[in-house]
Each structure stands twice: as C-alpha cells, then as structure tokens.
Amino acid sequence: MAAAAAITSSKAEKPGRATEKRREAAERDALRAGQNPTARAVHTRNVLLRWAHRRYYEGDREPRCHGFMRSPDAAFEGIPLASGDLREALEYLVERELIELVHRVQWSDPGYRDIYSAQRISLTRLGMDCAESGMTVSEFLYPRPASPGDTYNTTFQAGAQGVQVGGQNTMHNSWGLEPQALLRFAESVLAKLPELGLAPADEAELTQQAATLRDEASAQQPNPTALRRAYQTVMNTLSGAPDSMASQWLCEVGTAAINNALGG
C-alpha cells in the first residue's frame, strides 16, 4: 500500500513540475519581450564572436553552437538567449564573413531548429581581426571617421576657406565633410566586383561609377553635391545586382558611409 501511494504521489508531482516550467518560460518570454530587440541582437553577435574566439585559443577551432547556448555568455540582461537569437546572430556573422559554418545549412529548412544548435562554426581571418581589435562587431564593420582634432566655435562667412583663430590659420571645409568613409566604400565596391555576378557591361559600368566616387572622395576640396550624385549612382547599380552576401554587405556599408560623410 505504501509503495502504491508513493507511485501515485510521484505521478501527481509531474504535472506540477511541468506547470512550473511553463510558468517560468512564460515569465522569461515576458521579460524578453520588454527588452530592446536591437540591443539584444547586437549583444548576441558580440558575445557569440568573442566566445568562438576564446574557444579557438582553447584549442577548439570548430566549436558547436550548443556549447555557446550552454555557456554563461548566452544571456542578455540576465535573461537566457533564445534559439532565435542564436540563429539571427549566426546569419548576420556568416553574411558578413566573420564566421563560417563548417557544414552550411539552409536557414529556410523547416528542421533548422534541430540542425543549427549542433552546427560547428569557425572564425574567418576577418572574424579573428574583429575579435582581437577590442571593438564591437558594428564598430569593426562600420568605423566612424577619426576626430578632426581641436574644435573651434567660430562664426565666419559661408564659403570661407580659412579663418584666423588665436594666431593659427585653421582651414575649414564649410560643409563639414568626412569623405574618407565614401572613399573606403568605393574601394570596397571595386574589390567586391567579381563576387556580384554582374553581366560584363554592368560590371564595367559599376567599375567606372565606383572609380568616379573614389576620385570625388579623394579630391582636395570634395564637392558634396558631386559626392552624393556619384554615391547614388553606385547604389542604384548595386540595388539591381543579383542578391548575394556581397551585394547586401556593400549596400549596408554604403548606407553607413553616406551617413558618416554627409549625415545621410
């Protein structure tokens, strides 16, 4: 009789434990829903890359993703990361060539949830550079232009090319241009041309457009109107290129570049 009672008691406890787990999961989902989704995504990319870098120097150069999900790194603001967070971070890092999938899977596969958690990943050379730079993924991919140095709040006539300040002759560019970002973008387009899959005529046209943008951005006195026109021509051609990681990456770099150079 006692044994039977114990069995009955054990069976009665199982539904209670299941209910408790569902309640805890619901609470985690509610807390996660209150988080900033962009900040959560950015955090996941950064910690996943750092985790892979740490595993690399621990001797595991092709770690499995489920190892990351079981690590203390797999949390944001104290809430565990979900499988969807890992998938999105993997997609982002793979598309930007910071990591590689050892056995590449299709994210559209209905069974990806059972596949990608066991996926092995490896750092690319670019990913190693990013991890060792001390920068976040976003800072590494889209660096801000360097500070021009001391700033003087000075009133002068529009179009003035030089202003005398405290005995120094400080040259000004009345538009506040930072063309280096567009110069780097033009060089990236030229470097990635073979990966875009363009027809020969379109590739030749984009080569000329990127060269024009490069020349405008490297001019001693860049013209903002000419810069924007050359940039837009390149972006229009890129938008018509076959969809690929290279074309997507270049479009993102271009958007960041125009924001850095001309403020959007």
Side-chain angles (χ1 to χ4, degrees):
M1 293 293 290
I7 292 173
T8 301
S9 175
S10 176
K11 288 181 178 178
E13 288 174 0
K14 289 181 180 178
R17 287 198 298 272
T19 300
E20 181 65 17
K21 288 182 179 179
R22 286 196 297 270
R23 184 184 65 78
E24 291 175 355
E27 289 177 352
R28 285 196 301 270
D29 289 343
L31 290 171
R32 187 179 298 122
Q35 292 180 335
N36 182 322
T38 300
R40 186 180 178 88
V42 169
H43 171 80
T44 305
R45 299 165 197 161
N46 291 328
V47 294
L48 177 57
L49 190 73
R50 287 198 293 268
W51 174 83
H53 181 256
R54 188 166 62 250
R55 295 296 299 147
Y56 180 92
Y57 281 105
E58 290 173 354
D60 187 358
R61 304 202 169 181
E62 294 181 355
R64 292 189 183 277
C65 292
H66 62 61
F68 167 72
M69 294 301 283
R70 294 172 181 172
S71 73
D73 298 292
F76 176 60
E77 295 182 351
I79 302 173
L81 298 176
S83 56
D85 297 316
L86 172 62
R87 176 177 62 83
E88 291 173 3
L90 283 172
E91 288 177 336
Y92 187 96
L93 296 172
V94 168
E95 288 173 358
R96 286 152 184 81
E97 302 178 354
L98 297 178
I99 66 170
E100 295 175 333
L101 302 182
V102 177
H103 301 292
R104 192 172 181 84
V105 297
Q106 295 297 323
W107 303 116
S108 58
D109 185 333
Y112 73 81
R113 290 180 177 82
D114 299 322
I115 296 172
Y116 78 85
S117 62
Q119 175 70 57
R120 288 188 181 278
I121 60 175
S122 64
L123 286 173
T124 63
R125 183 65 259 174
L126 189 65
M128 290 288 290
D129 291 343
C130 178
E132 293 173 359
S133 70
M135 294 186 283
T136 66
V137 171
S138 297
E139 289 169 344
F140 181 81
L141 292 174
Y142 312 117
R144 300 290 296 179
S147 170
D150 293 338
T151 301
Y152 299 93
N153 295 320
T154 307
T155 302
F156 57 96
Q157 294 297 318
Q161 297 301 308
V163 180
Q164 191 76 17
V165 181
Q168 290 179 263
N169 189 38
T170 304
M171 296 304 295
H172 288 276
N173 158 350
S174 62
W175 288 85
L177 292 177
E178 294 288 352
Q180 294 85 357
L182 287 172
L183 176 59
R184 291 193 296 269
F185 170 56
E187 292 171 344
S188 296
V189 172
L190 292 170
K192 291 279 187 181
L193 273 172
E195 302 176 38
L196 295 176
L198 293 168
D202 293 333
E203 183 172 314
E205 183 178 3
L206 184 55
T207 300
Q208 181 59 47
Q209 293 167 352
T212 299
L213 176 59
R214 181 189 58 197
D215 293 344
E216 291 290 349
S218 58
Q220 186 174 3
Q221 292 285 336
N223 181 298
T225 302
L227 266 177
R228 190 178 294 278
R229 185 185 303 116
Y231 159 81
Q232 196 58 57
T233 301
V234 170
M235 291 295 284
N236 289 343
T237 302
L238 280 175
S239 66
D243 189 38
S244 66
M245 286 192 294
S247 63
Q248 292 174 12
W249 181 78
L250 285 172
C251 285
E252 291 182 3
V253 171
T255 300
I258 196 68
N259 287 333
N260 284 344
L262 302 176

